[in-house]
Amino acid sequence: MKKILTALLCGVAVNAMAGDAAIKSQLKTLGAKSIDIKDSPVSGVKTVVTDKGIIYITEDGKYAFQGKLYKLTTKGPVNVSGKFLMDKLNSYKNEMIVYPAKNEKYVVTVFMDITCHYCHLLHQQLKEYNDLGITVRYLAFPRGGMRSETAKQMEAIWTAKAPVFALNEAESGRLPKEVKTPNIVKKHYELGIQFGVTGTPSVITSSGEIIGGYLKPADLLAALKESK
């Protein structure tokens, strides 16, 4: 993404009033992949979701900027950028490892790594989160990248016949003996990159807001109430 933005800001631009196809073509030459162009809430600006994250480009293709886009409301700023990725995130619901709350009030999606100390702390307190009405859904985010042994172990967990049991076993120190090519994990990892995840656990609200790393159950509940 730095390569893309550097080139753009140094004067690389598509023709005036560029169409989506021209913008895609230009970004591909700069190394971007999986390019999805959408309208944005800002007049004259397009939202471009790439494999490296979200950038915004003016409709004439001359200017681009990267970062979170917020809508200012009377209740405070609302992260609009995350909302563009929520449809994609929710399309992975059948690949998530889910710990549902009986009296569900909130749903969070957590990018986690089985070697992460704070992910382990969160997992140990799942019952407390659930008792507060918080459903926890896990996606895989191996911090060491896709070539790591952890990525292959997490693939074995997420594709097990009983993924919840497999994850509970791993969190108890009994890692899977077999490893697999991390195909599903790769999808999760790339989505995490698009959200701007740099560490684990990263907690995503149902509106697409990242509200931090590990939070104790009561603190997470407070943060969710505040983010409404």
Side-chain angles (χ1 to χ4, degrees):
M1 186 55 67
K2 288 182 179 179
K3 177 182 176 183
I4 296 171
L5 291 179
T6 299
L8 284 167
L9 296 175
C10 285
V12 177
V14 294
N15 296 328
M17 301 310 294
D20 288 0
I23 292 174
K24 280 187 177 182
S25 177
Q26 182 66 13
L27 289 176
K28 284 181 180 178
T29 66
L30 300 172
K33 300 176 182 177
S34 304
I35 300 166
D36 186 17
I37 299 176
K38 305 173 181 288
D39 290 330
S40 83
V42 182
S43 178
V45 175
K46 293 278 190 177
T47 301
V48 184
V49 182
T50 77
D51 58 316
K52 300 299 182 183
I54 295 177
I55 61 174
Y56 299 93
I57 296 181
T58 55
E59 288 183 343
D60 61 8
K62 290 184 177 180
Y63 300 95
F65 58 95
Q66 185 181 22
K68 293 179 180 179
L69 179 64
Y70 289 92
K71 180 180 179 180
L72 303 180
T73 72
T74 56
K75 295 183 178 180
V78 176
N79 181 0
V80 176
S81 301
K83 289 185 176 180
F84 288 114
L85 294 172
M86 285 307 295
D87 286 345
K88 186 173 182 179
L89 183 149
N90 286 322
S91 73
Y92 295 167
K93 64 181 182 180
N94 292 332
E95 299 173 6
M96 297 176 182
I97 298 179
V98 182
Y99 294 81
K102 289 183 179 179
N103 299 308
E104 184 178 279
K105 298 176 182 176
Y106 300 97
V107 176
V108 297
T109 305
V110 180
F111 286 95
M112 68 91 72
D113 181 316
I114 56 172
T115 66
C116 163
H117 171 67
Y118 287 101
C119 296
H120 183 61
L121 287 180
L122 188 153
H123 194 80
Q124 285 182 317
Q125 299 174 88
L126 276 174
K127 184 179 184 302
E128 294 176 53
Y129 292 107
N130 290 165
D131 287 346
L132 292 174
I134 303 171
T135 288
V136 176
R137 311 189 302 184
Y138 281 135
L139 288 175
F141 192 87
R143 296 171 299 168
M146 295 311 303
R147 295 183 179 179
S148 65
E149 188 72 7
T150 300
K152 297 173 184 178
Q153 291 170 332
M154 293 179 81
E155 182 76 16
I157 292 168
W158 257 258
T159 57
K161 290 183 179 180
V164 170
F165 175 79
L167 181 56
N168 290 343
E169 286 287 284
E171 287 295 318
S172 297
R174 294 179 287 275
L175 296 173
K177 293 180 179 179
E178 68 170 329
V179 295
K180 294 185 177 181
T181 303
N183 297 318
I184 288 178
V185 170
K186 181 174 184 289
K187 291 165 58 181
H188 298 181
Y189 183 80
E190 289 175 347
L191 179 60
I193 295 296
Q194 289 180 319
F195 266 101
V197 172
T198 56
T200 57
S202 283
V203 180
I204 313 293
T205 71
S206 57
S207 64
E209 184 81 25
I210 298 180
I211 60 171
Y214 166 73
L215 292 172
K216 294 179 181 178
D219 292 338
L220 178 57
L221 179 62
L224 290 169
K225 288 179 177 178
E226 188 175 333
S227 69
K228 264 192 167 184

